[in-house]
Amino acid sequence: MLKFALKLALLAAAAAPMSGLAGAAEASESERRFFQSVEGSWSGPGEIVAGKYKGTKFVCNFDGGTPEKNIGMALDGTCRVGVFTQPMKASVVREKGGYRGTFLDGAAGKGLDVTGGKVIGNDVVFALHRSSLSGAMRARISDKNTMHITISVQVNDDMVPVIGMKLKRTDSGGIEAIARQ
């Protein structure tokens, strides 16, 4: 369960949007700007806030990028609890029917599927699915160097937060930093 919770934490950090309701051109540009703001290196603490492993603290580090021809992002990095480190990898792209993606090897393996999502301003919410588990990940960019992530799971009719993270940018600043390299 702890490994699964850590995987959810990185998914939250890595995979962020759902399809917009605005016109295709407007939504695409808004979504593209959101994902570009997530590009670069991020690091920060997280905590499992509910369930069997409540109170477990961890730290994640990852590098985010955006695909050249699609709207979305890819994330590659690790999360660490004590001396244990877990590789993390996620990718999400907007397709004709909405956002789709995988965390690790997807729900068919040991990961999760991203089955939908939506970007609104500086927030993104993704629908998560694995077997009988349904949930959501919300990522909010509060300023150009801070991202807050919450992962919730559905319990009966309620969405219960289970993981919270606060990430800080560790490079000099997204697109501008990448362009200079």
Side-chain angles (χ1 to χ4, degrees), residues 58-127:
F58 55 90
V59 175
C60 293
N61 297 293
F62 65 90
D63 292 316
T66 56
E68 287 184 36
K69 297 181 182 182
N70 295 321
I71 294 175
M73 71 178 301
L75 183 79
D76 196 7
T78 59
C79 287
R80 178 179 48 83
V81 173
V83 297
F84 300 102
T85 300
Q86 175 72 38
M88 299 292 166
K89 188 171 196 156
S91 63
V92 177
V93 295
R94 192 176 81 176
E95 297 177 346
K96 190 173 185 177
Y99 280 95
R100 300 287 180 259
T102 59
F103 176 67
L104 296 179
D105 55 356
K110 295 182 180 183
L112 297 164
D113 288 338
V114 175
T115 58
K118 187 170 193 161
V119 176
I120 301 175
N122 293 331
D123 284 280
V124 65
V125 177
F126 285 119

Side-chain angles (χ1 to χ4, degrees), residues 47-63:
E47 183 175 352
I48 299 172
V49 296
K52 183 177 178 181
Y53 297 101
K54 181 178 179 176
T56 300
K57 296 179 188 309
F58 55 90
V59 175
C60 293
N61 297 293
F62 65 90
D63 292 316

